[in-house]
Amino acid sequence: MNAADETWMARALELAERGRGHVEPNPLVGAVVVQGERAVGEGWHQKYGHAHAEINALSQAGAAATGATLYITLEPCCHHGKTPPCTDAVRRAGIKRVVAAMRDPFPQVAGQGIAQLQAAGVAVEIGCREAEAVRLNAPYLKLLRTGQPYVHAKWAMTLDGKIATRTGDSKWISGEAARRKVHELRGRMDAIIVGIGTVLADDPLLTARPPGPRVATRVVLDSRCRLPVEAQLVRTAAADAPVLLVTGSPLALDNLPAGCHLLSLPADAHGRPRVTAVLQELGKKRMTNVLVEGGAEVLGSFRDAGEIDEVHVFIAPRLAGGRDAKAALGGEGVAKIADALRLTQWTCERIGDDLYCRGWRSS
């Protein structure tokens, strides 16, 4: 592979990102067909169940695909799913060379797509910008590997690390620009998770405004089923987004409001639903991305369970102080700094007056 391969794969990765929120639980995939030094076709997987990236790129390229190179961010599929095998289309188009960023670990592909193309005389190279492709599809890869969704943890805090004052007031720590970013994030999620304490204190809606490509199920961890029927979550469950009430005890509630559902799961030592049990149930529903919004004990319980994959932290230029003011993460925590969750990669950018820090743990 050469510098041109790196450049074209960067474009394919850029195209793949356009599918985020639209294609899950499928992977994000982008493709570019290059004839000589010119792109003659581009495509990405645009919507779950619709044509794959390489099909869209080959369709745009038409006859110009003959003898060309196909750059693809993931190994082409070779099985009948919701769409026909992409390997067949690649062969029919007369593609001479395929450069793929990574293999697809999906059991019905897993190297077989590469093997079929090579058997048909197509040159195949794997690994161009592989680390970026793995990062791009970290949620898909985790769901495939563990059966659990990818966990995003989000909070807003003051510069001195407080998510609320000593009286519990938290509106608003971050500014409007940061809150718009949070709504964009919500619009790409399959579920948004909070504890009952947050619901009782803030009465949140937990919806994306304006709506995004996905409508997230609003999950409330409530060990004693204290969710008020007058809460905004309950009143909007039927029309806006479903509510899943998760309890750590075998309770049965009759006459749940429309759009509300109850799930009883094994409890931890404190009687709360176990984090891993919650994630396993959401994974069974093929949820790919979930957002944990709080409060501190819920966020801390996910950290204690080792179940945070990515963090989104909004830091406001404010100092709240107060020994009784809450910090972002509760739970048990660690005894030694060496045992703290380490983010192996992270970025920071200014959004309005706030700082947005985003970090990823190692796989």
Side-chain angles (χ1 to χ4, degrees):
M1 286 177 280
N2 53 43
D5 291 337
E6 297 277 341
T7 298
W8 290 119
M9 188 60 75
R11 176 57 179 167
L13 289 163
E14 181 181 308
L15 291 167
E17 181 63 37
R18 297 182 183 183
R20 193 174 297 281
H22 298 273
V23 305
E24 293 85 351
N26 279 358
L28 306 176
V29 186
V32 182
V33 179
V34 176
Q35 184 67 264
E37 298 180 357
R38 184 171 66 92
V40 294
E42 294 186 337
W44 66 96
H45 187 24
Q46 298 181 14
K47 190 174 181 180
Y48 178 73
H50 288 207
H52 289 185
E54 48 270 66
I55 302 303
N56 291 327
L58 291 170
S59 176
Q60 189 179 98
T66 302
T69 295
L70 171 67
Y71 294 89
I72 184 82
T73 59
L74 188 70
E75 174 185 1
C77 71
C78 54
H79 67 289
H80 282 273
K82 290 187 176 295
T83 59
C86 291
T87 49
D88 290 351
V90 172
R91 292 198 303 264
R92 287 196 303 268
I95 290 291
K96 179 181 180 181
R97 176 176 177 244
V98 170
V99 178
M102 62 178 289
R103 288 176 169 81
D104 186 352
F106 188 73
Q108 290 176 276
V109 184
Q112 297 175 72
I114 295 168
Q116 286 188 16
L117 291 173
Q118 290 174 329
V122 179
V124 181
E125 298 181 49
I126 304 292
C128 182
R129 293 187 177 268
E130 183 174 13
E132 294 167 64
V134 169
R135 168 59 50 77
L136 177 81
N137 272 313
Y140 164 75
L141 295 172
K142 183 185 178 185
L143 183 63
L144 202 59
R145 184 179 69 253
T146 69
Q148 297 181 182
Y150 187 83
V151 177
H152 302 254
K154 165 262 166 185
W155 64 88
M157 67 183 186
T158 61
L159 193 58
D160 57 334
K162 307 299 185 180
I163 63 170
T165 68
R166 59 182 173 80
T167 65
D169 181 59
S170 61
K171 292 185 178 179
W172 294 102
I173 290 175
S174 56
E176 290 186 9
R179 297 200 295 275
R180 283 196 296 271
K181 186 74 173 181
V182 172
H183 283 285
E184 291 176 13
L185 187 62
R186 286 178 177 174
R188 300 196 300 269
M189 296 291 134
D190 294 307
I192 298 171
I193 302 174
V194 297
I196 186 60
T198 294
V199 176
L200 295 176
D202 299 337
D203 192 22
L205 268 174
L206 302 178
T207 55
R209 303 183 295 278
R214 306 187 84 77
V215 176
T217 296
R218 297 167 295 177
V219 179
V220 181
L221 306 183
D222 183 4
S223 58
R224 289 179 284 164
C225 291
R226 294 181 291 157
L227 181 64
V229 294
E230 65 273 14
Q232 289 195 94
L233 292 176
V234 176
R235 290 190 285 108
T236 59
D240 295 344
V243 171
L244 180 62
L245 185 64
V246 183
T247 176
S249 57
L251 296 174
L253 295 182
D254 296 325
N255 301 319
L256 276 172
C260 295
H261 309 275
L262 179 68
L263 177 63
S264 295
L265 293 175
D268 62 18
H270 303 284
R272 298 176 299 209
R274 291 179 185 169
V275 167
T276 52
V278 174
L279 293 177
Q280 286 165 3
E281 287 298 321
L282 298 183
K284 290 177 183 177
K285 300 177 185 295
R286 305 300 294 162
M287 292 187 178
T288 308
N289 290 277
V290 301
L291 180 65
V292 182
E293 289 212 21
E297 289 304 312
V298 170
L299 285 162
S301 69
F302 274 79
R303 198 233 69 86
D304 289 345
E307 293 292 357
I308 292 177
D309 299 299
E310 187 173 326
V311 297
H312 306 263
V313 182
F314 299 87
I315 305 173
R318 303 170 183 263
L319 298 174
R323 66 177 62 88
D324 296 324
K326 284 190 177 293
L329 300 183
E332 296 298 324
V334 299
K336 297 180 180 179
I337 289 296
D339 297 327
L341 173 62
R342 182 175 178 81
L343 303 177
T344 54
Q345 292 188 336
W346 55 277
T347 62
C348 287
E349 64 176 297
R350 185 165 176 173
I351 297 182
D353 292 331
D354 304 312
L355 191 64
Y356 169 40
C357 295
R358 182 182 181 188
W360 299 262
R361 65 179 296 176
S362 58
S363 300

